[in-house]
Amino acid sequence: MKRALITGITGQDGSYLAELLLEKGYEVHGLIRRSSTFNTSRIDQIYQDPHESGKRLFLHYGDLTDGVNLVNLIHQIQPDEVYNLGAMSHVKVSFEMPEYTASTDAVGTIRLLEAIRAAQLDCKFYQASTSEMFGATPPPQNEQTVFYPRSPYGAAKLYSHWVTVNYREAYDMFAVSGILFNHESPRRGETFVTRKITRAVARIKAGVQDELFLGNIDAIRDWGYAKEYVEGMWRMLQHDEPIDFVLATGTGTTVREFIEYSFAHAGLDWEQHVRYDERYERPTEVDALIGDPSKAHDLLGWKAETQTQQLAELMVDADIELLAGGGEHA
């Protein structure tokens, strides 16, 4: 039985990846931060499962800012695969918390790589890189595109990306970076723009909210379905060689179009409800991110199946159902 460690297991990607690995027969260990309130809602269904999958999921308190704890956990767990998905992942917030973002997203990665190296483990390492590293570089972007990050988040992730390359070359580690373009789902955090939109649609449809305030709605992004993208992460670690890959749909969509898809699916006119608020503008904007996933398709057999309109509609349906079921209160 393979053993995997996932940092960020309580997040969107971490929860989907945990489900995937358990389905494949792995023993899964997850790193969670200590909190005064429970923050495990995305994985509670698995963790409380009395059947076999629930018995193969183990959670450990820890944080990417605590190197000693990471060393101890790596020694204790002895993982075959490590997926570093933990991060301060909100781009706008990274401008307000740049030092914390750097400590978690950049230095946190080298703490984890050093813990693996110190344990002398023959394990495979996956680093969650991001399309935000491309920033101001015009699309389409692939594995050879020049990086030009436009936020503390993008810059911190760029450090992690290159240090992963360095550990691969310096210590012969099977260490790869997955450069994932935007990927969403009903499990997306409520402060991220796609989920903010679909959640507002559900609330407006139910009559408990009337307006949605957003910043730049002309930005172009390449939006895919997170559940499909974690399959790509796993495939990268099953490949014969440690190679970095871009995962994307290859299609660009404006925030405005995502809004139109979401409101139309609920039978609403978005222009009656969406308002501009300059507080949601970033100090430096990333105008367009559109990925070229051809390498992943050719070498991994991976392809994004869910396009943006389908994604918006399934997220709206999920948020309407969540509100109707009392999972989210007015």
Side-chain angles (χ1 to χ4, degrees):
M1 185 185 299
K2 283 187 177 181
R3 189 178 297 126
L5 170 63
I6 304 172
T7 71
I9 194 171
T10 58
Q12 168 188 256
D13 293 6
S15 63
Y16 281 123
L17 180 62
E19 289 174 354
L20 176 72
L21 295 181
L22 288 167
E23 288 171 4
K24 293 183 178 296
Y26 281 66
E27 177 181 298
V28 177
H29 295 256
L31 191 69
I32 62 171
R33 286 177 291 188
R34 175 70 178 88
S35 172
S36 58
T37 57
F38 291 111
N39 60 354
T40 58
S41 59
R42 293 184 179 95
I43 57 171
D44 280 347
Q45 184 177 354
I46 318 170
Y47 195 60
Q48 296 167 4
D49 182 357
H51 303 294
E52 183 61 31
S53 61
K55 296 176 183 178
R56 288 185 281 111
L57 176 64
F58 304 90
L59 301 180
H60 308 266
Y61 286 122
D63 196 291
L64 288 169
T65 61
D66 185 350
V68 172
N69 175 256
L70 294 176
V71 168
N72 291 338
L73 282 176
I74 291 294
H75 274 280
Q76 174 190 338
I77 298 168
Q78 297 280 302
D80 299 292
E81 298 174 1
V82 174
Y83 296 85
N84 185 28
L85 311 185
M88 201 309 290
S89 58
H90 198 285
V91 177
K92 177 68 166 64
V93 175
S94 76
F95 285 97
E96 300 164 19
M97 303 175 66
E99 183 179 348
Y100 176 75
T101 301
S103 182
T104 305
D105 298 9
V107 185
T109 301
I110 204 165
R111 292 185 186 107
L112 191 52
L113 285 166
E114 271 297 285
I116 295 168
R117 189 175 75 87
Q120 298 182 328
L121 282 183
D122 182 21
C123 85
K124 297 180 177 182
F125 177 82
Y126 173 86
Q127 168 58 24
S129 288
T130 170
S131 57
E132 287 287 334
M133 300 187 308
F134 295 120
T137 304
Q141 296 106 350
N142 62 25
E143 295 84 0
Q144 304 304 316
T145 301
V146 174
F147 296 120
Y148 190 160
R150 296 269 284 172
S151 67
Y153 169 73
K157 281 290 192 174
L158 185 56
Y159 175 92
S160 287
H161 177 83
W162 281 118
V163 83
T164 300
V165 172
N166 181 247
Y167 270 63
R168 178 168 71 217
E169 296 176 349
Y171 304 114
D172 198 27
M173 292 176 63
F174 195 111
V176 305
S177 289
I179 308 173
L180 273 56
F181 281 65
N182 295 65
H183 46 289
E184 321 294 314
S185 75
R187 300 182 189 178
R188 190 57 145 153
E190 295 172 355
T191 60
F192 290 86
V193 67
T194 51
R195 184 71 195 291
K196 185 177 178 180
I197 292 166
T198 61
R199 181 171 175 265
V201 168
R203 291 168 63 84
I204 292 168
K205 181 75 172 176
V208 297
Q209 181 176 328
D210 185 54
E211 295 180 317
L212 168 62
F213 293 92
L214 296 170
N216 176 22
I217 65 171
D218 294 317
I220 299 170
R221 294 293 183 269
D222 184 327
W223 278 303
Y225 187 21
K227 189 173 183 179
E228 297 171 357
Y229 282 49
V230 299
E231 170 80 23
M233 297 178 188
W234 176 78
R235 290 192 185 197
M236 289 181 210
L237 293 196
Q238 313 318 307
H239 192 61
D240 293 338
E241 301 175 59
I243 302 174
D244 302 329
F245 289 94
V246 161
L247 298 187
T249 69
T251 303
T253 305
T254 63
V255 177
R256 185 190 305 272
E257 289 172 317
F258 194 95
I259 294 168
E260 291 172 352
Y261 297 148
S262 301
F263 277 80
H265 187 61
L268 298 170
D269 180 357
W270 72 273
E271 293 183 296
Q272 298 297 314
H273 303 281
V274 177
R275 304 288 180 263
Y276 172 74
D277 189 332
E278 65 179 8
R279 291 178 300 173
Y280 296 112
E281 294 277 5
R282 301 176 185 176
T284 46
E285 182 57 86
V286 172
D287 295 322
L289 296 173
I290 306 172
D292 172 9
S294 55
K295 182 177 172 182
H297 182 259
D298 293 343
L299 297 184
L300 300 178
W302 181 91
K303 182 180 180 181
E305 301 294 339
T306 305
Q307 297 302 310
T308 307
Q309 184 170 350
Q310 296 172 273
L311 178 63
E313 291 173 356
L314 75 84
M315 290 175 66
V316 167
D317 288 341
D319 273 323
I320 289 174
E321 183 179 348
L322 180 64
L323 187 63
E328 196 228 297
H329 302 290

